[in-house]
Amino acid sequence: MDILSLINLSEIHEIINLVNKNHGTKYSLSTIPIDDKNAIKLIKLGFTNNIFQLEKPGMIDALKTIKPNNFLEVSHVLSIHRPGAIKQIQLFADYKDHKKTPQYLHPILKSILEPTYGIIIYQEQIMQIANQFAGLSLEEADNFRKAISKKKPEQLANLENTFLQGAKKNGIDQTLAKKIYDNVFEFADYGFAKIHAIEYTMLSTKMAFLKANFPNEFFSIFLDKNGSTRGKEFFKLIKDLSAFNISFADPNINKIEGRTTTVNQKLMYSLLNIKSSNIDMVKATLGERNNRGEFKNFDDFIMRLAPNKIQGLWVKDLINIGCFDFESKNRNYFLARLSSFLEDPQDLKSYVKKDIAAFLQFEGKASNPENYEKLDSIKTFINEFVSLGFIQKKMETLFPSIKTRDYFQLSSLQRAGTFFSTCGIITNLKIKNDKNDKKYAKITLMDHSFQESFFIFNNTFEPLENTLIEGQIVKVAVRKSIKEKFTSYIVNSVQVLS
């Protein structure tokens, strides 16, 4: 078994352990079915991110084209998606769905190729053809397969002659035999061993079973694996969560853990997913809570954690994501109090005062949150984004005037027509010059479902050059441009919402 298989086996065992813990089940790798209907449906629809061998974009396209209906058809897709064979994917799908009829040059070929709809996919099929058609022994057929796949010029003439002479002894017309040899020759260099395909597919379908039937546990493991970064794999997970209609639970300092957990069917991300987190601070927080019980309020948290060199930036991020909302929804109140607790009130990177307990005792009763103006919903939203690095809320929760039907979520742009609208927060803005030395911008927008890049060219960008900044929430009217299979999104107009 290769290293990729071993990595995925480790992930599967982690998911199984979490499933058994959360649901009281007794699954093991050997008891997970390989032909579960929910898993096959998930594979057919292409929801295969983070599933062994099935997660690459080209493979996902192949799955959506062929739409496998069972375990063996998944194995066929896994095997046909290889250099050279890729050009046969649409034909395979047409044969499978009876839109076209396979043409077999000889009845022997039909018996060998009918299970794969007339197309050579597996190395074993090449060996069967050499054995049954040209009369080679199984050992000779295997050597024939190995030699023909390497396509060494000095061997090819002998290989062809061996095949044709064997077919002649079996009474097969030489013209027909030559056609079949050419067919085998074309496919031999990318044939996949069926035994390997079955092994890989077993792992793939077992992972698909876990994702389809226990998505919270599946995503928990992969969020923890990718949560410390905000890279491509992380946002694929966020996109998948949106597709599975899984949302995040409101974090609470007394419930959040050092790993992603499920709370009331929602996911609560790990303390380690917070942008300013570090392992020492996470350990100190969980250790204090586990040893001495829940934190009563914000001040109790500060006093109990102060001896551990608690950094202001870490506490600010906990406030921004709502970890203390159980005490008060006024996050501005906590931010103001935090400043007074720091060694340097002007520097969030400074630490909480070591003698904070004495300070609080001297200060007396904590001030009233009602004395502090609440942050508006947009500022709260932006603060959450800054502290998490991703977005939890849908745009329509912030801007009721924007209805879901008026715009496409960023995860759904492939379904949009040529012209559409979308919304998001600008997470990256780069200003460049085109070949005519005119300025244009490339921006990255993020919403709760995904992130995507957009281009704002000179005529549209010129009046916005001094207006657009990172951190703004915008609604954009977009034109989709497809050139040589590459899709780009051109902004026609921008409405700044924040």
Side-chain angles (χ1 to χ4, degrees):
M1 186 166 284
D2 59 32
I3 187 67
L4 286 175
S5 302
L6 292 174
I7 291 171
N8 281 269
L9 271 176
S10 175
E11 291 164 346
I12 290 174
H13 283 301
E14 287 185 70
I15 299 167
I16 291 172
N17 290 338
L18 194 54
V19 167
N20 289 341
K21 178 182 176 182
N22 289 353
H23 299 274
T25 51
K26 295 183 179 180
Y27 285 111
S28 66
L29 185 63
S30 61
T31 61
I32 292 177
I34 60 173
D35 219 352
D36 175 73
K37 64 178 182 179
N38 293 330
I40 299 300
K41 180 180 179 181
L42 178 143
I43 291 171
K44 182 187 295 189
L45 294 172
F47 290 131
T48 52
N49 287 325
N50 301 108
I51 292 179
F52 178 62
Q53 290 286 316
L54 304 182
E55 59 184 335
K56 300 297 183 184
M59 177 63 80
I60 292 173
D61 288 342
L63 291 169
K64 290 180 178 179
T65 299
I66 294 174
K67 298 180 178 65
N69 293 313
N70 52 53
F71 174 86
L72 281 178
E73 288 186 357
V74 176
S75 175
H76 297 341
V77 179
L78 190 149
S79 303
I80 200 173
H81 187 264
R82 300 196 168 268
I86 287 178
K87 62 185 179 183
Q88 301 294 325
I89 286 175
Q90 186 59 58
L91 186 62
F92 183 95
D94 290 342
Y95 287 162
K96 168 186 165 291
D97 296 333
H98 307 293
K99 294 178 181 177
K100 293 182 179 179
T101 303
Q103 301 298 314
Y104 299 101
L105 296 174
H106 192 278
I108 290 177
L109 287 184
K110 183 175 182 181
S111 66
I112 296 170
L113 300 181
E114 196 168 38
T116 54
Y117 304 103
I119 292 176
I120 299 173
I121 292 177
Y122 300 112
Q123 293 176 0
E124 290 83 350
Q125 290 174 310
I126 295 171
M127 293 170 60
Q128 285 178 289
I129 292 171
N131 171 250
Q132 297 180 32
F133 201 83
L136 277 64
S137 70
L138 291 178
E139 183 179 357
E140 291 171 330
D142 190 33
N143 291 333
F144 173 83
R145 174 194 63 78
K146 291 175 183 177
I148 201 171
S149 65
K150 294 177 182 178
K151 290 184 167 49
K152 293 183 178 180
E154 65 273 16
Q155 294 181 344
L156 290 179
N158 288 334
L159 287 173
E160 182 174 355
N161 184 61
T162 298
F163 187 90
L164 295 178
Q165 290 304 312
K168 186 176 183 180
K169 288 179 182 178
N170 284 340
I172 296 171
D173 178 77
Q174 290 293 279
T175 302
L176 176 60
K178 179 67 168 64
K179 283 184 180 180
I180 293 173
Y181 174 83
D182 289 343
N183 192 283
V184 170
F185 179 83
E186 180 185 355
F187 283 86
D189 58 342
Y190 52 75
F192 194 49
K194 189 171 184 179
I195 184 64
H196 292 155
I198 294 298
E199 288 177 349
Y200 284 2
T201 306
M202 288 179 70
L203 210 54
S204 301
T205 53
K206 286 174 185 284
M207 290 191 80
F209 170 85
L210 293 169
K211 185 173 184 179
N213 295 285
F214 302 99
N216 280 33
E217 287 75 14
F218 183 94
F219 289 121
S220 291
I221 297 302
F222 283 100
L223 280 170
D224 287 345
K225 179 182 175 183
N226 297 284
S228 60
T229 68
R230 293 296 178 267
K232 192 174 183 179
E233 294 306 312
F234 177 83
F235 285 104
K236 282 183 182 178
L237 285 167
I238 296 300
K239 183 176 181 178
D240 262 7
L241 287 172
S242 178
F244 277 70
N245 201 28
I246 296 174
S247 58
F248 287 102
D250 294 330
N252 182 312
I253 197 61
N254 288 318
K255 298 187 185 305
I256 195 167
E257 299 286 351
R259 57 179 177 77
T260 304
T261 55
T262 296
V263 178
N264 297 325
Q265 304 305 312
K266 295 182 178 182
L267 291 182
M268 183 173 289
Y269 41 78
S270 163
L271 279 169
L272 290 168
N273 288 156
I274 300 167
K275 286 184 77 173
S276 65
S277 69
N278 66 73
I279 190 65
D280 291 335
M281 212 56 251
V282 171
K283 285 182 177 179
T285 301
L286 296 178
E288 179 66 27
R289 193 180 76 195
N290 292 336
N291 292 331
R292 297 180 55 197
E294 293 187 350
F295 301 106
K296 297 175 184 176
N297 49 40
F298 178 69
D299 288 3
D300 185 45
F301 170 82
I302 293 291
M303 283 193 293
R304 288 163 59 180
L305 269 293
N308 297 280
K309 290 193 73 173
I310 180 172
Q311 191 181 47
L313 189 60
W314 160 257
V315 182
K316 184 206 78 167
D317 284 345
L318 293 177
I319 293 168
N320 280 343
I321 67 174
C323 278
F324 303 101
D325 283 3
F326 70 94
E327 179 184 354
S328 170
K329 300 290 186 184
N330 191 341
R331 297 180 188 177
N332 199 33
Y333 159 71
F334 297 121
L335 291 171
R337 283 188 70 68
L338 172 62
S339 294
S340 67
F341 295 165
L342 297 178
E343 292 173 348
D344 181 353
Q346 305 303 316
D347 184 8
L348 282 169
K349 292 183 179 179
S350 65
Y351 296 99
V352 171
K353 299 171 184 176
K354 288 283 183 69
D355 60 346
I356 191 66
F359 173 85
L360 287 171
Q361 187 176 12
F362 174 79
E363 184 197 40
K365 188 177 180 181
S367 56
N368 192 332
E370 294 181 4
N371 295 333
Y372 294 81
E373 184 179 353
K374 284 187 175 182
L375 300 174
D376 63 38
S377 59
I378 295 175
K379 180 62 177 174
T380 299
F381 172 88
I382 293 174
N383 281 356
E384 286 180 0
F385 162 71
V386 169
S387 294
L388 280 174
F390 66 94
I391 292 170
Q392 302 180 77
K393 295 181 175 66
K394 296 181 179 181
M395 289 297 165
E396 58 264 31
T397 63
L398 288 174
F399 305 100
S401 60
I402 297 177
K403 305 299 181 184
T404 304
R405 64 176 180 272
D406 295 333
Y407 75 100
F408 279 85
Q409 295 178 6
L410 293 176
S411 61
S412 304
L413 298 191
Q414 69 273 16
R415 298 201 301 267
T418 304
F419 298 95
F420 61 91
S421 293
T422 190
C423 297
I425 188 169
I426 300 175
T427 61
N428 187 272
L429 187 154
K430 291 183 179 178
I431 298 174
K432 302 181 179 183
N433 289 71
D434 63 17
K435 60 184 179 181
N436 297 316
D437 206 32
K438 290 188 176 182
K439 290 181 179 179
Y440 71 96
K442 182 181 180 181
I443 63 172
T444 301
L445 292 184
M446 184 191 297
D447 67 5
H448 75 285
S449 69
F450 204 47
Q451 63 176 359
E452 190 58 79
S453 296
F454 299 81
F455 293 95
I456 310 177
F457 289 118
N458 42 72
N459 291 337
T460 305
F461 178 66
E462 187 176 355
L464 297 168
E465 182 178 355
N466 298 317
T467 301
L468 294 182
I469 57 173
E470 292 181 3
Q472 283 177 325
I473 301 171
V474 296
K475 180 179 180 181
V476 292
V478 181
R479 173 175 60 85
K480 183 188 293 186
S481 174
I482 302 176
K483 292 182 180 179
E484 298 180 355
K485 295 185 178 181
F486 177 77
T487 301
S488 59
Y489 301 104
I490 316 300
V491 174
N492 290 333
S493 66
V494 179
Q495 179 186 357
V496 178
L497 301 176
S498 69

